[in-house]
Amino acid sequence: MNMRLLTLALTALALGGATAPAKQVRAGETIQWSMSDRLKIYRLGDMTAKFDRVQCAPLGEECEEDQLEPKLTLSTADGASITLDGSPMQNILMLGPVAKGGPVVAFVQSYTGGMHCCHQMRVVIRDKAGLKLVELGAYDGMEIGWPKDVDGDGNLDFVVTDDRFLYAFESYAASVAPPKILNLVDGEVRDVSAEPRFAKVFEKAASRTRKACIGEEYPNGACAAWAASAARLGTLDTVWPVILAEYRKEPAAWPDRCKVDRTDDGECPEGQLVEYPDYPTGLRAYLVELGYIPAA
């Protein structure tokens, strides 16, 4: 009998922790996982999340035997499942409903590495076919927390940054990105930043960037972000004279525009480049190009 029990115990160990219990978590609780954590299982409601290190496949030049990769498998009680590639450095998972009374979804943030970069943000939601992956994009800076219901409509709002402003008017260190607000609508991600119900997000951003535009040694990045937030609030014409008075004239940089798609190496085909004479003209044109204000 003792030998039989020992055999069963050894068999369970050989299964690699397949029977490891799941840790119950709270809605919106931050779960951090890296490769050194090995197998971890979490559950909220009927959704189970399993982080693990698995053998890469297929074997070849880029995949050797005993080379492990981070994976996150999400599953629900009805048998639906989906497996995502993780980051070998840092992964952050949060489980919970993103709509009042809605089902549990998974919000995943994975650090990509690289210069000044990035957290890849993904949401796994329910749909008729089972589980669906929705890409929110990759964003500079630290991870964001569990989304909040900014406008009180019962749906959670993902407040990220419009990183198209980074490097556009200043160096990375002096760049400022205005807020960007994303919603999940009918199973798709939608940029809802321009909707008036989110005015308080841009009021806060405008207050912060106004101070930097007026008070910083290198103000042009902050002035551009202030202009963007003011455009969302419909007050760009009011703040524009202050921006004209405060921006740094020399040295100054601003984006140009290509009338057609740029080449893979970022070049604009000959005859298609539009260059602007100064910072104010370039800033206005950039706000038009990105949809913050209509064309004149």
Side-chain angles (χ1 to χ4, degrees):
M1 180 64 71
N2 289 341
M3 182 60 70
R4 182 167 179 260
L5 291 175
L6 177 60
T7 301
L8 290 173
L10 291 174
T11 301
L13 288 174
L15 291 175
T19 57
K23 178 183 177 182
Q24 296 289 332
V25 296
R26 303 183 308 275
E29 180 178 344
T30 299
I31 301 163
Q32 298 192 45
W33 184 88
S34 62
M35 292 282 280
S36 62
D37 293 322
R38 298 176 179 266
L39 174 65
K40 297 288 184 181
I41 304 176
Y42 305 92
R43 180 175 293 124
L44 178 66
D46 72 335
M47 180 171 282
T48 300
K50 182 179 76 172
F51 280 111
D52 203 0
R53 309 180 304 171
V54 302
Q55 170 65 48
C56 65
L59 295 177
E61 291 184 2
E62 297 183 359
C63 174
E64 300 178 356
E65 191 172 351
D66 297 326
Q67 180 178 333
L68 300 179
E69 295 180 334
K71 297 289 184 180
L72 169 62
T73 299
L74 297 155
S75 58
T76 52
D78 59 5
S81 68
I82 187 172
T83 298
L84 311 181
D85 293 332
S87 166
M89 291 173 282
Q90 182 189 53
N91 302 271
I92 295 175
L93 169 69
M94 300 175 184
L95 303 173
V98 293
K100 188 175 182 179
V104 174
V105 306
F107 177 34
V108 185
Q109 301 176 77
S110 301
Y111 182 59
T112 64
M115 184 69 72
H116 304 147
C117 219
C118 281
H119 273 89
Q120 180 186 16
M121 299 185 186
R122 297 169 287 176
V123 182
V124 174
I125 64 171
R126 319 290 184 100
D127 71 0
K128 294 179 180 179
L131 295 177
K132 176 183 177 181
L133 176 64
V134 180
E135 298 279 359
L136 300 186
Y139 298 93
D140 175 70
M142 300 295 291
E143 72 278 359
I144 65 172
W146 184 245
K148 298 179 179 179
D149 183 4
V150 175
D151 62 331
D153 68 346
N155 297 308
L156 302 190
D157 308 299
F158 296 84
V159 181
V160 294
T161 51
D162 190 344
D163 289 350
R164 295 173 294 182
F165 283 78
L166 300 180
Y167 298 102
F169 299 93
E170 287 282 9
S171 67
Y172 173 83
S175 293
V176 182
K180 182 166 76 170
I181 304 171
L182 305 176
N183 275 181
L184 294 174
V185 180
D186 296 329
E188 305 293 338
V189 61
R190 181 179 299 174
D191 185 343
V192 293
S193 306
E195 298 185 15
R197 57 198 173 106
F198 298 110
K200 65 180 181 181
V201 174
F202 293 97
E203 288 170 357
K204 184 177 180 179
S207 176
R208 182 177 65 252
T209 49
R210 175 187 179 278
K211 294 176 182 177
C213 175
I214 294 174
E216 295 291 334
E217 182 180 0
Y218 299 97
N220 290 7
C223 291
W226 182 24
S229 291
R232 293 295 192 211
L233 296 168
T235 60
L236 179 59
D237 289 343
T238 301
V239 307
W240 191 250
V242 183
I243 292 174
L244 294 181
E246 296 295 336
Y247 84 92
R248 190 184 69 252
K249 278 70 175 175
E250 294 291 342
W254 52 90
D256 50 33
R257 181 174 69 86
C258 190
K259 296 179 182 178
V260 298
D261 291 338
R262 295 179 184 267
T263 62
D264 291 340
D265 57 4
E267 296 297 322
C268 185
E270 185 176 355
Q272 300 300 318
L273 186 66
V274 178
E275 297 182 282
Y276 302 106
D278 51 34
Y279 173 91
T281 306
L283 174 54
R284 280 271 186 182
Y286 200 56
L287 294 175
V288 170
E289 182 180 347
L290 299 188
Y292 280 80
I293 58 175

